[in-house]
Structures are given as C-alpha cells and as structure tokens.
Amino acid sequence: MEKAVWRNKRVAVTGAAGFIGSHLCDALVRSGAVVTAIVRYSSSSTIGNLNFLAPEIRSEIGIAYGNLEDSDFIYGALDGHDVVLHLGALIAIPYSYEAPRTYVRTNVEGTLNVLQAGRRSAVGRIVHTSTSEVYGTALRTPIDEGHPLQGQSPYSASKIAADKLAESYHRSFGVPVVTLRPFNTYGPRQSARAFIPTIISQAVERSEIRLGALTPERDMTYVSDTVAGFLAAGIQPGIDGMTLNLGTGETHSVGWFAQRILTLMGMDDKPIKVETERMRPEQSEVHKLISDNGLAARALDWKPRVSIDEGLSRMIDFVQSNPGFYSTDRYVR
C-alpha cells in the first residue's frame, strides 16, 4: 500500500547526500517516487553517500546543488514538489561548540527558507527533522513529546529554534508540517563522528578503543526503521502540526554498546579507554535518552523492527567491507 501511495509523487529531500538522507532517497525511488536530492554545492559536485546507491537507483534521482542558507536557491529547488523531507542540517555536536553561528545559519535560517518555500509553493507536506538532543538529559523517562526542551549544546539549541519555527509556520500560516524526532539513528554510511562506527572502525584497525564518556545512555534506532518513519510521516493524513518521536524505547550506555560490539566481533579482550578530548563539557553532556514512541505507533502505525544485535551486525559488515570509508588515526570533531 505504501509503495502505491508514493508512486509518481514529486519528493524533495534536503540533506540527501548524508547518512539518513541517502537511505531515504533509495527507499523513495524503490517506492516509485520522483525524487529530487538537494545536495550542498561544492566545486567537485560530490553526491556523498548517494554514491553507495545501486546505479539503476542513482540514475533515477535528480540532483539540485545549492545551499540551505540561500533562500533563492531553496525557493526554486522545492517549487512543484508534493512532499519535502527536510533532513539538511549540521549535526556534529563537538563542532557546534567551535562554530555556533554556522549552526544557526544552516539549521535555523536553512529551515526558515524551507518553510517559507513550502508556504509559497503550497507543498502538500513538509517533514521537518528534529533530534532527541532537544530534550537534553531526561527529566523523566521514557521521554514523550511533551518533555521540556533543553539546549545543552549550541547544536541542540539550533534544532530547538528550527523546531519552533516549524511549529510557528503551521500555527501562523497553516503550512502542513510534521516534525520527527529520531533517537540516535545508526547504520551503514554513518560518519565516524558517531560512536558506533567509531567503535567498530577502531576495533578493526587499532589495538584499543578510544572513546569519550562511557556512561551516557542512548536509545539507538537502526536506519531502515528511521526511514520507515519518514515514509509514513510523508503520507499519513491528519497529522499536520504533530511532533513524533522515533525510537526503540530501549536504552544502553555507550560503554555497553562498545562491549557488545567487541563481543559480536570476537574481540572481547580489546581494551576500552576514555580520552578527555572526546568528552563534552559536563553541563552539556546528555546523560540519558530513552524514547516514548507510543504516539508514532498510534499516529503512523510505526514500530522499530531491527534488533540491536542485528543492526550492529549489519554495521560491522559495512565497516569491514568499506575499509577506506573511515579514518581512525586522529579524532575529528
């Protein structure tokens, strides 16, 4: 049924060259959608993670090069589309401490441009991507959509601002916006700035694992489940204005994930060491994230299907099959 609904729909995906965006473009093409991938302009015309798509899928995707901060580009690129899936953002938390203004320009002004373009073009649905980081350290668990928003990093503050803009455009102008809050998506193509690919790539290449804080707890969702949530949110009637968590409702510490990955790789004896340069400032660290996904289950008929061990095993296979994709010789913010 879902494939039939997407057939011939004109869909624009911002952040399409990224981790989740590339998986989403793949799923959309396979569902029959006409896809425009919004890709950040560079002189090399790189398409990032879209290179991993099968040639027959990649050839079906239209590429629009430009920047989210350029309102003229965004207005033109999104015009004529039925659905906009807005994933484009700066997401690396450590770098947000060093370049907060850049995060405001991309995450806040970029989202404003997408919302304004959707308003001008009468787009049928905008799915705006938030993050569980907007909740900060849990004041109550599991975290439902009514949990207070806490800006514990410049990154999370920029996403809170973007979320509120999306809310305001729905309330003020009737723009059909749905906000999704994924809880720590992981899977193939994810950058080593995330801790799961960091652990696996170091396990493959180094004699020890070097991480930041081991005690923070995370609710990890495999990328295919997150993509299924986006597909459902793009077409489900009657949900405009809603904010929905996408998470498993299960949480484990970073240290637990590290040890579990090493066990799955048959490397239980490999030492795990903490590096202070990888740690967040104490008051900026988010100590526990665990989702209440009940609203997404009811509104989207969505639930996660990939178990932790299955997802980690797929990720291990990807890292081992793509040795040149990750660099473990230095820490990159």
Side-chain angles (χ1 to χ4, degrees), residues 1 9 21 33 38 43 48 61-62 75-76 89 109 121 128 136 148 163 180 260 262 286 291 310 321:
M1 179 62 180
K9 276 196 179 295
I38 312 297
S43 59
I61 297 173
Y75 294 164
E109 293 184 20
S121 300
H128 163 64
D163 290 3
L180 293 184
R260 187 63 193 155
L262 292 176
V286 174
S291 69
E310 182 180 356
S321 300

Side-chain angles (χ1 to χ4, degrees), residues 19 132-133 182-187 190-191 193-199 216-226 246-254 256-258 261 289-291 293 302 304-309 311-312 315:
F19 160 46
S132 56
E133 285 283 329
F183 276 65
N184 299 96
T185 301
Y186 73 103
Q190 187 173 29
S191 162
R193 288 180 173 86
F195 75 87
I196 285 179
T198 293
I199 294 164
E217 297 178 44
R218 296 293 182 261
D219 181 335
M220 305 302 299
T221 309
Y222 191 70
V223 64
S224 62
D225 287 327
T226 298
L246 298 181
T248 66
E250 179 181 347
T251 190
H252 299 286
S253 70
V254 173
W256 182 93
F257 278 104
I261 288 167
L289 290 171
I290 178 170
S291 69
N293 58 20
W302 177 88
R305 300 183 182 279
V306 179
S307 70
I308 287 292
D309 277 3
L312 291 177
M315 187 61 185

Side-chain angles (χ1 to χ4, degrees), residues 37 114 233 242:
V114 169
M242 293 182 69

Side-chain angles (χ1 to χ4, degrees), residues 127-280:
V127 179
H128 163 64
T129 310
S130 180
T131 168
S132 56
E133 285 283 329
V134 301
Y135 295 124
T137 296
L139 302 177
R140 60 175 185 264
T141 57
I143 299 172
D144 61 26
E145 292 80 359
H147 187 283
L149 306 182
Q150 304 178 95
Q152 289 184 210
S153 66
Y155 164 68
S156 66
S158 73
K159 295 299 287 184
I160 290 170
D163 290 3
K164 288 300 181 181
L165 276 172
E167 178 185 331
S168 75
Y169 262 65
H170 175 68
R171 292 179 181 272
S172 300
F173 310 117
V175 176
V177 181
V178 175
T179 295
L180 293 184
R181 287 195 178 131
F183 276 65
N184 299 96
T185 301
Y186 73 103
R189 308 173 202 162
Q190 187 173 29
S191 162
R193 288 180 173 86
F195 75 87
I196 285 179
T198 293
I199 294 164
I200 299 170
S201 59
Q202 289 190 28
V204 170
E205 297 188 10
R206 302 182 66 146
S207 60
E208 62 185 19
I209 310 300
R210 298 181 181 180
L211 298 171
L214 301 180
T215 56
E217 297 178 44
R218 296 293 182 261
D219 181 335
M220 305 302 299
T221 309
Y222 191 70
V223 64
S224 62
D225 287 327
T226 298
V227 165
F230 273 90
L231 294 178
I235 58 173
Q236 183 68 28
I239 61 171
D240 291 335
M242 293 182 69
T243 296
L244 304 157
N245 290 337
L246 298 181
T248 66
E250 179 181 347
T251 190
H252 299 286
S253 70
V254 173
W256 182 93
F257 278 104
Q259 196 57 61
R260 187 63 193 155
I261 288 167
L262 292 176
T263 297
L264 290 171
M265 297 179 73
M267 300 180 180
D268 297 77
D269 57 346
K270 191 159 286 196
I272 301 169
K273 296 188 176 181
V274 173
E275 282 190 336
T276 55
E277 70 168 331
R278 296 174 182 263
M279 299 182 72
R280 298 194 201 182

